[in-house]
Amino acid sequence: MSQSLPVVTVVIAARPGQAEVRSVAASQALDYPREKLEIIVARGKQPAIQRNRAVEAATGELIYFLDDDSIPPTDNLKRGVAHFTDAKVCLLGGPNLCPPDAPPIEHAFAATMGTWLAFGPSRARYAAVGAVRESSEKELILCNLLARREAFLKAGGFDEALYPNEENALMDALQAAGGKLLYDPAFYVHRRPRPNISAFVKMLMTYGRGRAEQFRRHPTLGSAPNFVPPLFCVYLVALFAGPLLPPWVWWPLLAYLAVLLLQAVAATARKTSVARLAFLIFLSHVCYGTGFWKGLLTKFKSREEQAAVSVDLEKVQTV
């Protein structure tokens, strides 16, 4: 059986000097032949560059990208590699789920990200949605992503000027070249959401900034829906900071609030209240939109600055 399995390299991006990398122990516990498993921790301050260097040094036919706090179930790799018998499949992903024992506030954040109104099709990154299917960058996420190394390198790897959204740009390129991206709701990891509201807000703004930067470097029609939150922010500013406006101008806001309430009621089974969930969904739109506007104005690092980024690679024992 092990003779037919491909060699897999687990790539984990971590910070310099980070003492605890929880995904290392989880990777060592994977039910996969030891001689077919390689684990590389790439330490640095720019994850896209760290991951590229790790893939270049990897020996695996497949690369399993995990964040430093991603905890896959032990059978994840065997489930994942089975999808790569189709030679056109170049990427496989699935959700990152809130652990059952996480605090209520973290379940509230997870419930928010798992709603249609907050994250649209990208809710599949935070909740197990549907069945195995061909997918797109809207549903897959880098903290739990299995990639064919050859296709990754042929596409040029991650755009080193981007973080986050380096994986989204790569996935668009792979699909444009005819590659298949798969989503498997049972191919998941447990990962804690942000621990408090301040960290949640920062994450949302980072996501918005990353999408705007991705659009600037790799514009596609797929990013068009991501302009809705920043335009919503402009609408809110016009309502509350502008002169007295006719009543009909408020109708879209009233319709939005009605839909917001319905979405919050529909999702309350996920360990949070209607009021909290409604507030967090609204917050996600405002913070994402604000971050998007910021991302339209950021300055990218030059190639020389990217090349100067230091990366330390550590190969971890798998036995």
Side-chain angles (χ1 to χ4, degrees), residues 86-311:
D86 181 348
K88 289 188 177 181
V89 173
C90 50
L91 282 178
L92 167 74
N96 70 113
L97 305 176
C98 182
D101 60 349
I105 187 65
E106 294 184 13
H107 279 286
F109 295 151
T112 300
M113 294 185 288
T115 62
W116 260 108
L117 188 56
F119 272 67
S122 295
R123 75 188 189 100
R125 299 172 181 170
Y126 311 101
V129 176
V132 177
R133 59 187 177 274
E134 283 196 49
S135 189
S136 73
E137 56 95 8
K138 294 294 187 186
E139 294 190 318
L140 308 182
I141 190 167
L142 188 49
C143 66
N144 180 35
L145 196 67
L146 189 60
R148 198 180 296 276
R149 181 173 181 267
E150 181 182 9
F152 178 95
L153 294 174
K154 186 175 181 181
F158 295 124
D159 182 340
E160 297 184 355
L162 292 177
Y163 177 72
N165 284 68
E166 67 270 31
E167 79 272 30
N168 305 84
L170 175 69
M171 286 188 263
D172 278 341
L174 289 169
Q175 275 194 310
K180 283 185 184 179
L181 313 183
L182 294 184
Y183 174 87
D184 182 350
F187 181 76
Y188 69 91
V189 297
H190 278 129
R191 186 165 175 257
R192 297 279 294 270
R194 298 303 186 266
N196 53 54
I197 193 72
S198 176
F200 185 64
V201 165
K202 182 179 179 181
M203 178 200 74
L204 293 168
M205 292 188 67
T206 298
Y207 283 176
R209 173 185 60 77
R211 177 59 68 168
E213 291 175 346
Q214 177 196 342
F215 180 78
R216 287 167 57 195
R217 290 183 63 83
H218 309 278
T220 65
L221 288 176
S223 288
N226 298 92
F227 279 82
V228 174
L231 292 175
F232 178 64
C233 289
V234 172
Y235 169 70
L236 291 178
V237 170
L239 281 181
F240 294 100
L244 188 64
L245 299 171
W248 62 265
V249 178
W250 293 82
W251 295 350
L253 179 61
L254 295 176
Y256 168 80
L257 293 175
V259 173
L260 179 65
L261 180 60
L262 289 173
Q263 175 69 97
V265 169
T268 50
R270 299 173 187 169
K271 301 185 180 182
T272 190
S273 68
V274 171
R276 173 183 275 182
L277 190 57
F279 170 72
L280 290 175
I281 294 172
F282 173 77
L283 189 67
S284 71
H285 293 151
V286 172
C287 294
Y288 187 99
T290 303
F292 192 96
W293 284 117
K294 179 181 179 181
L296 292 177
L297 303 172
T298 50
K299 180 182 178 182
F300 294 113
K301 282 186 170 67
S302 67
R303 289 188 179 275
E304 291 74 20
E305 290 173 315
Q306 294 167 26
V309 173
S310 175
V311 177

Side-chain angles (χ1 to χ4, degrees), residues 28 33-35 37-39 316-319:
Q28 290 172 318
R34 301 297 94 179
E35 72 276 8
L37 184 64
E38 178 181 52
I39 303 171
V316 179
Q317 292 289 331
T318 58
V319 180

Side-chain angles (χ1 to χ4, degrees), residues 2-161:
S2 67
Q3 294 299 318
S4 61
L5 293 173
V7 175
V8 177
T9 299
V10 180
V11 169
I12 302 165
R15 298 182 300 278
Q18 182 178 347
E20 182 183 18
V21 183
R22 297 181 64 220
S23 54
V24 168
S27 299
Q28 290 172 318
L30 288 166
D31 179 16
Y32 206 75
R34 301 297 94 179
E35 72 276 8
K36 299 273 186 172
L37 184 64
E38 178 181 52
I39 303 171
I40 298 178
V41 177
R43 295 185 182 272
K45 296 183 178 180
Q46 213 295 15
I49 297 175
Q50 293 162 237
R51 292 175 174 123
N52 276 349
R53 301 298 173 270
V55 174
E56 290 165 5
T59 62
E61 176 186 336
L62 301 179
I63 307 295
Y64 189 21
F65 293 104
L66 294 175
D67 276 8
D68 59 0
D69 56 351
S70 298
I71 309 298
T74 56
D75 65 344
N76 238 30
L77 264 190
K78 284 187 175 177
R79 179 180 184 88
V81 300
H83 291 291
F84 285 82
T85 54
D86 181 348
K88 289 188 177 181
V89 173
C90 50
L91 282 178
L92 167 74
N96 70 113
L97 305 176
C98 182
D101 60 349
I105 187 65
E106 294 184 13
H107 279 286
F109 295 151
T112 300
M113 294 185 288
T115 62
W116 260 108
L117 188 56
F119 272 67
S122 295
R123 75 188 189 100
R125 299 172 181 170
Y126 311 101
V129 176
V132 177
R133 59 187 177 274
E134 283 196 49
S135 189
S136 73
E137 56 95 8
K138 294 294 187 186
E139 294 190 318
L140 308 182
I141 190 167
L142 188 49
C143 66
N144 180 35
L145 196 67
L146 189 60
R148 198 180 296 276
R149 181 173 181 267
E150 181 182 9
F152 178 95
L153 294 174
K154 186 175 181 181
F158 295 124
D159 182 340
E160 297 184 355

